[in-house]
Every structure is written in structure tokens, then in C-alpha cells.
Amino acid sequence: AQRVTQPEKLLSVFKGAPVELKCNYSYSGSPELFWYVQYSRQRLQLLLRHISRESIKGFTADLNKGETSFHLKKPFAQEEDSAMYYCALSFNTGKLIFGQGTTLQVKP
Amino acid sequence: EPEVTQTPSHQVTQMGQEVILRCVPISNHLYFYWYRQILGQKVEFLVSFYNNEISEKSEIFDDQFSVERPDGSNFTLKIRSTKLEDSAMYFCASAGGSVQETQYFGPGTRLLVL
């Protein structure tokens, strides 16, 4: 079955520390993966998608098909990065399957 | 920058009542979606809609649910007879010219069924 797993509900780091938000997926086809972010009282918005291979707000994510992972990384966390982060898997029908989400808390 | 809008932001209803949740997608988008998030749980896909018909629906999207695009701009989700377990945040999303394009989400409607 297709599944996205984000093992951490909460990740708390200090400002300037590196961040890694974990995401693992289960999908027999060719996956398309996304990270969405939801800042406090705001809507879900796309942070990045693996096919674009962009770095947005200093975040990067590499698709590792061997480990079926798409971890989100940032070398130096900022307080404004505090938000809920969702990893999502897209099918060729457009449907998105989301992970449970990880709350990132960046402490000053 | 154009955004997806949803109304109302909050809705409280009695069990068994019908509710209609409204969405205005981004104007030149062709693909439309509804998702929901029960408190404390993950965001779940409900239905996708393209070319005036449902392209895919989940197991959650049973006969109590329906979607339509009545006037070419609004995209509605109707729950015919609400149950307590329908209480959730409902998100609308739209995407441009293909299913591969980024989905843009609305702010959500929080539905509470009493």
C-alpha cells in the first residue's frame, strides 16, 4: 500500500542548528515527492518538490530511492522556520498522500 | 498573487443536516481537489475533479458526499447528512494545466458536527 511516514511529531532545535525532517515512503511506482509547510494560522503551501531540485528558504531534499526516503534538510535553522511540515507523495492522478506532519520548533 | 479561497471559515451544524462547503479555485486552473484533516490526524485525500467530472475518489468519499462546479468558478463539496465523524478541517486545492502541476491550497473550512 502507498504510504508516507514522518516518524517525528515534534522536532525542537536551537537557532543556527542543522535540521533534518525525516520522510519515508512506500510506493511501487515512480514517486513524485513534495514537502508542504504550514506556518501558524496560514494555509498549506508548497516548500519544494523533488523534480525541481530547487533549494527554497535554504531547505533541500534529496530523493533516495534505495532507502525510499525524502528527508528535508537545512544547515542552519532560523526562528521563522518554525512551522508544521508535511511530506507528500503524488500519484499520476494528482492525488496527494500526506504524512502525519512534523512540527518544527526553532528556539532562540 | 492569486489564491484559492474557501467559505465559510467555520461551520457548526447538527448531525443529520446538510452542509455545503465552497471554494473558489485560482481562475485558470483546471484540476480541483478536496482534502480533509480530522484533528490530530493526517491530511487525507477525498476527491479530484477535472473537466466537470470526478476523476478519482477515496473510500471516505461515499454517497453522502458530492462535488460540483455549478458556475464555472465555484467548486463545492456537499455533505448530505452529516455525522459526528465528519468534523474536520476541509481543504480545497487547485492545480493548473496538468495533474503534475503544484496544488495550491485554500485556508480551509473547519466543520464541527454536534
Side-chain angles (χ1 to χ4, degrees), chain A residues 20 51 65 80 85 87:
Chain A
E20 183 179 53
I51 58 167
K65 291 188 180 180
E80 56 265 31
Y85 290 79
C87 182

Side-chain angles (χ1 to χ4, degrees), chain A residues 29-95:
Chain A
S30 192
E32 182 157 0
L33 287 144
F34 302 78
W35 277 97
Y36 277 83
V37 61
Q38 189 172 30
Y39 299 103
S40 179
R41 302 186 203 288
Q42 294 187 29
R43 66 188 66 205
L44 272 167
Q45 55 188 281
L46 180 70
L47 181 62
L48 54 80
R49 56 192 295 178
H50 90 272
I51 58 167
S52 64
R53 303 185 70 80
E54 291 177 311
S55 170
I56 308 291
K57 300 186 180 185
F59 285 96
T60 57
D62 287 318
L63 178 61
N64 184 324
K65 291 188 180 180
E67 295 182 0
T68 59
S69 68
F70 189 56
H71 303 328
L72 184 69
K73 298 177 187 178
K74 184 168 183 176
F76 307 104
Q78 304 299 315
E79 287 181 69
E80 56 265 31
D81 296 329
S82 295
M84 186 74 153
Y85 290 79
Y86 293 96
C87 182
L89 173 67
S90 171
F91 293 79
N92 55 10
T93 59
K95 173 173 79 173

Side-chain angles (χ1 to χ4, degrees), chain B residues 42 46 78 80 87 89 110:
Chain B
K42 60 175 69 177
L46 290 178
K78 183 194 291 186
R80 216 177 324 276
S87 295
M89 183 73 114
R110 184 168 294 286

